Amino acid sequence: DSGVTQTPKHLITATGQRVTLRCSPRSGDLSVYWYQQSLDQGLQFLIQYYNGEERAKGNILERFSAQQFPDLHSELNLSSLELGDSALYFCASSVGRSSNSPLHFGNGTRLTVT
Amino acid sequence: QQQVKQSPQSLIVQKGGISIINCAYENTAFDYFPWYQQFPGKGPALLIAIRPDVSEKKEGRFTISFNKSAKQFSLHIMDSQPGDSATYFCAASRNGGSQGNLIFGKGTKLSVKP
């Protein structure tokens, strides 16, 4: 068990809708990362927060947004959903602000857009 | 564009054999090269990592070989076991700055036959 908790495990929704994915990092970890995993693209970095502030941005669409709250949990908001957004979304956490420290991944949220 | 190219896409090895997965990178600023292991239904978990100041790192049956001049690194699994059957991802990152996030290869699905 990595200590990173993601909810929900599965999410099925329709195109055009909005969903929120939640992540609780490992105790003591200040960084939270969001990754999207699809069969053809592999693991794609979306965004990183460190102690409540945005630290790095990757291939995150404008329809997607995230935040990290004072208690360090994070939420990823996906809006105007399209079929192509169907994927596994992983949250990871680490102690430091750099990804050169080990990342601890949750078990992911599987999003299906119909 | 920063990339990490991983091969092969899939690998079948007999129990007791050696599994070898290769990765190549482009950005010479990368200074951290981890390997992650992912079982079905789980998030990736750090297996072993290396920094460019060493050419080899061994942990149990798992060894990373690193060739800085060729910009390549590989994972060797000695005495492969059926329990090693999983998807393996190589990754790379550079410390610091807004680009300090892990870039993953597309993964290698390893099947170890009994």
Side-chain angles (χ1 to χ4, degrees):
Chain A
D1 182 14
S2 68
V4 177
T5 303
Q6 287 189 250
T7 56
K9 289 184 180 180
H10 303 277
L11 202 48
I12 301 175
T13 189
T15 55
Q17 294 299 305
R18 171 189 168 95
V19 297
T20 297
L21 313 184
R22 183 187 168 101
C23 169
S24 294
R26 211 173 57 130
S27 177
D29 286 357
L30 298 179
S31 274
V32 169
Y33 304 76
W34 286 97
Y35 280 84
Q36 180 191 58
Q37 186 177 40
S38 59
L39 282 175
D40 56 341
Q41 292 295 321
L43 276 161
Q44 295 285 310
F45 169 70
L46 296 178
I47 198 164
Q48 177 201 357
Y49 281 83
Y50 176 78
N51 204 20
E53 294 189 1
E54 184 182 301
R55 166 86 176 148
K57 218 168 186 176
N59 301 320
I60 189 166
L61 300 173
E62 285 191 10
R63 301 183 285 108
F64 296 0
S65 64
Q67 53 184 328
Q68 186 179 28
F69 295 87
D71 67 352
L72 302 178
H73 91 272
S74 178
E75 292 181 356
L76 178 67
N77 300 295
L78 314 177
S79 62
S80 302
L81 284 167
E82 302 174 359
L83 294 178
D85 297 328
S86 296
L88 263 172
Y89 291 84
F90 285 104
C91 167
S93 70
S94 69
V95 172
R97 67 185 72 197
S98 167
S99 60
N100 283 14
S101 56
L103 297 190
H104 302 272
F105 282 81
N107 288 333
T109 293
R110 181 173 293 280
L111 174 66
T112 303
V113 183
T114 61
Chain B
Q1 184 180 358
Q2 295 181 353
Q3 277 190 331
V4 176
K5 295 183 179 179
Q6 184 172 346
S7 63
Q9 196 171 357
S10 61
L11 183 60
I12 299 174
V13 173
Q14 289 296 125
K15 178 182 174 182
I18 302 174
S19 304
I20 302 174
I21 305 171
N22 301 299
C23 283
Y25 63 97
E26 298 175 355
N27 189 342
T28 55
F30 286 148
D31 59 2
Y32 176 66
F33 302 89
W35 285 87
Y36 280 78
Q37 179 189 54
Q38 184 179 23
F39 292 104
K42 301 292 186 182
L46 179 66
L47 188 62
I48 186 173
I50 197 169
R51 298 188 187 273
D53 52 343
V54 296
S55 61
E56 187 175 282
K57 183 174 180 179
K58 184 175 180 180
E59 288 185 3
R61 296 184 294 108
F62 300 90
T63 300
I64 298 180
S65 297
F66 185 80
N67 186 329
K68 189 173 181 178
S69 61
K71 294 188 287 186
Q72 294 175 348
F73 58 110
S74 59
L75 176 69
H76 291 63
I77 306 174
M78 312 299 289
D79 187 26
S80 298
Q81 299 296 311
D84 297 331
S85 298
T87 300
Y88 292 82
F89 294 92
C90 63
S93 69
R94 57 178 280 248
N95 194 17
S98 62
Q99 297 179 19
N101 58 83
L102 274 177
I103 308 296
F104 282 88
K106 292 199 172 183
T108 296
K109 186 172 183 179
L110 171 66
S111 295
V112 181
K113 299 300 182 185

